[in-house]
Amino acid sequence: QVQLVESGGGLVQPGGSLRLSCAASGFTFSSYPMSWYRQAPGKERELVARLFSTPGSTTYADSVKGRFTISRDNAKNTVYLQMNSLKPEDTAVYYCSTFIYRARSWGQGTQVTVSS
């Protein structure tokens, strides 16, 4: 029932920008924290950013702080990740996620490649 669909990934040059979107359905979107994770080849999946339902409450990985911004549009049931000043080490599959019904739900992921 819960569905999370990411979009917006692609190939960008170092220093470039990209905005990821996640369309959510099947639950009361505004009541749940939403997160972005990423997984690079050979590495564990890591939390990139989290936006809580409490207004203005966010958390970011140290590696992206100051460069990435998470936001949500509750009217559209969509969460965004604005990524600026991208670096090659940001290359990964990015996943949208929420914790609901005693389990973590995941989207299919979208590939972000930062390379010259």
Side-chain angles (χ1 to χ4, degrees):
Q1 186 180 33
V2 174
Q3 292 190 41
L4 302 170
V5 182
E6 303 95 335
S7 62
L11 174 64
V12 296
Q13 295 187 2
S17 297
L18 210 58
R19 189 176 79 156
L20 306 183
S21 298
C22 173
S25 62
F27 64 102
T28 306
F29 178 78
S30 62
S31 297
Y32 290 85
M34 297 298 298
S35 303
W36 286 98
Y37 288 75
R38 68 185 181 188
Q39 188 166 24
K43 303 200 71 176
E44 292 278 298
R45 192 170 297 186
E46 64 174 343
L47 177 66
V48 175
R50 178 164 288 151
L51 178 62
F52 298 92
S53 55
T54 303
S57 296
T58 59
T59 188
Y60 295 93
D62 288 342
S63 59
V64 308
K65 203 167 296 181
R67 300 188 298 121
F68 289 13
T69 303
I70 187 170
S71 62
R72 67 197 299 162
D73 186 338
N74 288 335
K76 295 183 177 181
N77 283 9
T78 301
V79 61
Y80 305 95
L81 185 67
Q82 178 66 47
M83 304 185 294
N84 298 327
S85 302
L86 283 162
K87 305 174 180 179
E89 49 262 46
D90 295 319
T91 296
V93 177
Y94 283 71
Y95 298 90
C96 178
S97 180
T98 190
F99 191 82
I100 190 169
Y101 306 136
R102 297 191 289 170
R104 182 157 290 282
S105 294
W106 303 93
Q108 292 298 307
T110 185
Q111 176 71 48
V112 172
T113 302
V114 185
S115 177
S116 59

Short mmCIF file of all heavy atoms in Angstrom, two decimals, residues 85-114:
data_model
loop_
_atom_site.label_atom_id
_atom_site.label_comp_id
_atom_site.label_asym_id
_atom_site.label_seq_id
_atom_site.Cartn_x
_atom_site.Cartn_y
_atom_site.Cartn_z
N SER A 85 26.55 21.99 -5.16
CA SER A 85 27.99 21.79 -5.02
C SER A 85 28.36 20.31 -4.96
O SER A 85 29.11 19.86 -4.09
CB SER A 85 28.51 22.51 -3.77
OG SER A 85 28.22 23.89 -3.82
N LEU A 86 27.83 19.56 -5.89
CA LEU A 86 28.00 18.11 -5.88
C LEU A 86 29.45 17.70 -6.09
O LEU A 86 30.19 18.34 -6.84
CB LEU A 86 27.11 17.47 -6.93
CG LEU A 86 25.63 17.40 -6.53
CD1 LEU A 86 24.75 17.18 -7.75
CD2 LEU A 86 25.42 16.28 -5.51
N LYS A 87 29.82 16.63 -5.40
CA LYS A 87 31.17 16.08 -5.45
C LYS A 87 31.11 14.65 -5.96
O LYS A 87 30.09 13.98 -5.83
CB LYS A 87 31.79 16.08 -4.05
CG LYS A 87 31.81 17.43 -3.37
CD LYS A 87 32.31 17.30 -1.93
CE LYS A 87 32.33 18.64 -1.23
NZ LYS A 87 32.80 18.51 0.17
N PRO A 88 32.21 14.14 -6.52
CA PRO A 88 32.23 12.75 -6.98
C PRO A 88 31.84 11.75 -5.89
O PRO A 88 31.21 10.74 -6.19
CB PRO A 88 33.68 12.55 -7.42
CG PRO A 88 34.12 13.90 -7.86
CD PRO A 88 33.45 14.85 -6.90
N GLU A 89 32.18 12.04 -4.65
CA GLU A 89 31.84 11.14 -3.55
C GLU A 89 30.35 11.13 -3.22
O GLU A 89 29.90 10.33 -2.40
CB GLU A 89 32.65 11.47 -2.29
CG GLU A 89 32.65 12.93 -1.92
CD GLU A 89 33.89 13.67 -2.40
OE1 GLU A 89 34.27 13.48 -3.58
OE2 GLU A 89 34.48 14.42 -1.61
N ASP A 90 29.57 12.00 -3.84
CA ASP A 90 28.12 11.97 -3.70
C ASP A 90 27.48 10.94 -4.62
O ASP A 90 26.28 10.69 -4.54
CB ASP A 90 27.51 13.34 -4.00
CG ASP A 90 27.92 14.40 -2.99
OD1 ASP A 90 27.96 14.09 -1.78
OD2 ASP A 90 28.19 15.54 -3.41
N THR A 91 28.27 10.34 -5.50
CA THR A 91 27.76 9.34 -6.42
C THR A 91 27.21 8.14 -5.65
O THR A 91 27.90 7.54 -4.83
CB THR A 91 28.86 8.87 -7.38
OG1 THR A 91 29.27 9.96 -8.20
CG2 THR A 91 28.37 7.73 -8.27
N ALA A 92 25.95 7.81 -5.90
CA ALA A 92 25.28 6.73 -5.19
C ALA A 92 23.87 6.57 -5.73
O ALA A 92 23.39 7.40 -6.50
CB ALA A 92 25.21 7.03 -3.68
N VAL A 93 23.22 5.50 -5.31
CA VAL A 93 21.79 5.38 -5.52
C VAL A 93 21.11 6.02 -4.32
O VAL A 93 21.42 5.70 -3.17
CB VAL A 93 21.35 3.91 -5.65
CG1 VAL A 93 19.83 3.82 -5.80
CG2 VAL A 93 22.03 3.26 -6.85
N TYR A 94 20.21 6.94 -4.59
CA TYR A 94 19.51 7.66 -3.54
C TYR A 94 18.11 7.09 -3.35
O TYR A 94 17.37 6.91 -4.32
CB TYR A 94 19.44 9.15 -3.87
CG TYR A 94 20.75 9.85 -3.63
CD1 TYR A 94 21.85 9.63 -4.46
CD2 TYR A 94 20.92 10.74 -2.56
CE1 TYR A 94 23.06 10.25 -4.24
CE2 TYR A 94 22.13 11.37 -2.33
CZ TYR A 94 23.20 11.13 -3.17
OH TYR A 94 24.41 11.75 -2.95
N TYR A 95 17.76 6.84 -2.09
CA TYR A 95 16.49 6.23 -1.75
C TYR A 95 15.66 7.14 -0.85
O TYR A 95 16.18 7.71 0.10
CB TYR A 95 16.69 4.91 -1.01
CG TYR A 95 17.42 3.85 -1.79
CD1 TYR A 95 18.80 3.73 -1.73
CD2 TYR A 95 16.71 2.94 -2.58
CE1 TYR A 95 19.47 2.75 -2.44
CE2 TYR A 95 17.37 1.95 -3.28
CZ TYR A 95 18.75 1.86 -3.21
OH TYR A 95 19.41 0.88 -3.91
N CYS A 96 14.40 7.21 -1.14
CA CYS A 96 13.43 7.87 -0.27
C CYS A 96 12.90 6.84 0.72
O CYS A 96 12.73 5.66 0.37
CB CYS A 96 12.30 8.43 -1.13
SG CYS A 96 10.97 9.24 -0.24
N SER A 97 12.63 7.25 1.95
CA SER A 97 12.23 6.28 2.97
C SER A 97 11.37 6.91 4.06
O SER A 97 11.47 8.10 4.35
CB SER A 97 13.48 5.66 3.60
OG SER A 97 13.13 4.71 4.59
N THR A 98 10.55 6.07 4.66
CA THR A 98 9.81 6.44 5.86
C THR A 98 9.65 5.19 6.72
O THR A 98 9.78 4.07 6.23
CB THR A 98 8.44 7.05 5.52
OG1 THR A 98 7.85 7.62 6.70
CG2 THR A 98 7.49 6.00 4.95
N PHE A 99 9.41 5.38 8.01
CA PHE A 99 9.18 4.26 8.92
C PHE A 99 7.71 4.23 9.27
O PHE A 99 7.20 5.16 9.88
CB PHE A 99 10.04 4.40 10.18
CG PHE A 99 10.06 3.17 11.04
CD1 PHE A 99 10.91 2.12 10.73
CD2 PHE A 99 9.25 3.05 12.15
CE1 PHE A 99 10.96 0.97 11.51
CE2 PHE A 99 9.27 1.91 12.94
CZ PHE A 99 10.13 0.87 12.62
N ILE A 100 7.05 3.16 8.87
CA ILE A 100 5.61 3.06 9.04
C ILE A 100 5.20 1.60 9.12
O ILE A 100 5.82 0.73 8.51
CB ILE A 100 4.89 3.79 7.88
CG1 ILE A 100 3.40 3.93 8.16
CG2 ILE A 100 5.16 3.10 6.54
CD1 ILE A 100 2.68 4.86 7.20
N TYR A 101 4.16 1.34 9.90
CA TYR A 101 3.64 -0.02 10.09
C TYR A 101 4.74 -0.97 10.59
O TYR A 101 4.88 -2.10 10.11
CB TYR A 101 3.00 -0.55 8.80
CG TYR A 101 1.93 0.35 8.23
CD1 TYR A 101 1.88 0.62 6.86
CD2 TYR A 101 0.98 0.94 9.06
CE1 TYR A 101 0.90 1.45 6.34
CE2 TYR A 101 0.00 1.77 8.54
CZ TYR A 101 -0.04 2.02 7.18
OH TYR A 101 -1.01 2.84 6.66
N ARG A 102 5.53 -0.49 11.54
CA ARG A 102 6.59 -1.25 12.20
C ARG A 102 7.67 -1.75 11.24
O ARG A 102 8.32 -2.77 11.49
CB ARG A 102 6.01 -2.42 12.99
CG ARG A 102 5.08 -1.98 14.11
CD ARG A 102 4.76 -3.14 15.03
NE ARG A 102 3.87 -4.11 14.40
CZ ARG A 102 3.58 -5.30 14.90
NH1 ARG A 102 4.12 -5.68 16.05
NH2 ARG A 102 2.75 -6.10 14.25
N ALA A 103 7.88 -1.02 10.17
CA ALA A 103 8.92 -1.38 9.22
C ALA A 103 9.35 -0.14 8.45
O ALA A 103 8.60 0.82 8.33
CB ALA A 103 8.44 -2.46 8.26
N ARG A 104 10.58 -0.19 7.93
CA ARG A 104 11.04 0.89 7.09
C ARG A 104 10.67 0.60 5.65
O ARG A 104 10.95 -0.49 5.13
CB ARG A 104 12.55 1.09 7.23
CG ARG A 104 13.08 2.26 6.40
CD ARG A 104 14.40 2.80 6.93
NE ARG A 104 14.23 3.50 8.20
CZ ARG A 104 13.76 4.75 8.34
NH1 ARG A 104 13.40 5.44 7.28
NH2 ARG A 104 13.66 5.28 9.55
N SER A 105 10.03 1.56 5.02
CA SER A 105 9.63 1.44 3.62
C SER A 105 10.61 2.20 2.74
O SER A 105 11.12 3.26 3.13
CB SER A 105 8.22 1.99 3.42
OG SER A 105 7.26 1.20 4.09
N TRP A 106 10.86 1.66 1.56
CA TRP A 106 11.84 2.22 0.64
C TRP A 106 11.26 2.40 -0.75
O TRP A 106 10.42 1.62 -1.20
CB TRP A 106 13.06 1.30 0.51
CG TRP A 106 13.75 1.00 1.78
CD1 TRP A 106 13.55 -0.06 2.61
CD2 TRP A 106 14.80 1.77 2.39
NE1 TRP A 106 14.39 -0.01 3.70
CE2 TRP A 106 15.17 1.11 3.58
CE3 TRP A 106 15.46 2.94 2.03
CZ2 TRP A 106 16.18 1.58 4.42
CZ3 TRP A 106 16.45 3.43 2.86
CH2 TRP A 106 16.80 2.74 4.04
N GLY A 107 11.74 3.42 -1.44
CA GLY A 107 11.48 3.53 -2.85
C GLY A 107 12.46 2.65 -3.62
O GLY A 107 13.30 1.97 -3.05
N GLN A 108 12.35 2.68 -4.94
CA GLN A 108 13.23 1.86 -5.78
C GLN A 108 14.62 2.46 -5.95
O GLN A 108 15.56 1.76 -6.31
CB GLN A 108 12.59 1.65 -7.15
CG GLN A 108 11.33 0.79 -7.11
CD GLN A 108 11.61 -0.61 -6.62
OE1 GLN A 108 12.50 -1.30 -7.13
NE2 GLN A 108 10.87 -1.04 -5.60
N GLY A 109 14.74 3.74 -5.69
CA GLY A 109 16.03 4.41 -5.79
C GLY A 109 16.22 5.11 -7.12
O GLY A 109 15.63 4.73 -8.13
N THR A 110 17.04 6.13 -7.11
CA THR A 110 17.41 6.84 -8.32
C THR A 110 18.91 7.09 -8.32
O THR A 110 19.49 7.47 -7.30
CB THR A 110 16.61 8.16 -8.46
OG1 THR A 110 16.89 8.78 -9.71
CG2 THR A 110 16.92 9.14 -7.33
N GLN A 111 19.55 6.83 -9.44
CA GLN A 111 21.00 6.91 -9.54
C GLN A 111 21.45 8.35 -9.73
O GLN A 111 20.95 9.07 -10.60
CB GLN A 111 21.51 6.06 -10.72
CG GLN A 111 23.01 6.16 -10.97
CD GLN A 111 23.83 5.48 -9.91
OE1 GLN A 111 23.55 4.33 -9.54
NE2 GLN A 111 24.85 6.17 -9.39
N VAL A 112 22.41 8.76 -8.90
CA VAL A 112 23.07 10.05 -9.05
C VAL A 112 24.55 9.80 -9.30
O VAL A 112 25.21 9.14 -8.49
CB VAL A 112 22.90 10.93 -7.79
CG1 VAL A 112 23.75 12.19 -7.89
CG2 VAL A 112 21.43 11.28 -7.60
N THR A 113 25.04 10.29 -10.42
CA THR A 113 26.45 10.13 -10.76
C THR A 113 27.07 11.51 -10.94
O THR A 113 26.59 12.31 -11.75
CB THR A 113 26.62 9.30 -12.04
OG1 THR A 113 26.01 8.02 -11.87
CG2 THR A 113 28.09 9.12 -12.36
N VAL A 114 28.13 11.78 -10.19
CA VAL A 114 28.84 13.05 -10.27
C VAL A 114 30.22 12.77 -10.85
O VAL A 114 31.06 12.15 -10.20
CB VAL A 114 28.96 13.72 -8.90
CG1 VAL A 114 29.60 15.10 -9.04
CG2 VAL A 114 27.59 13.83 -8.24
#
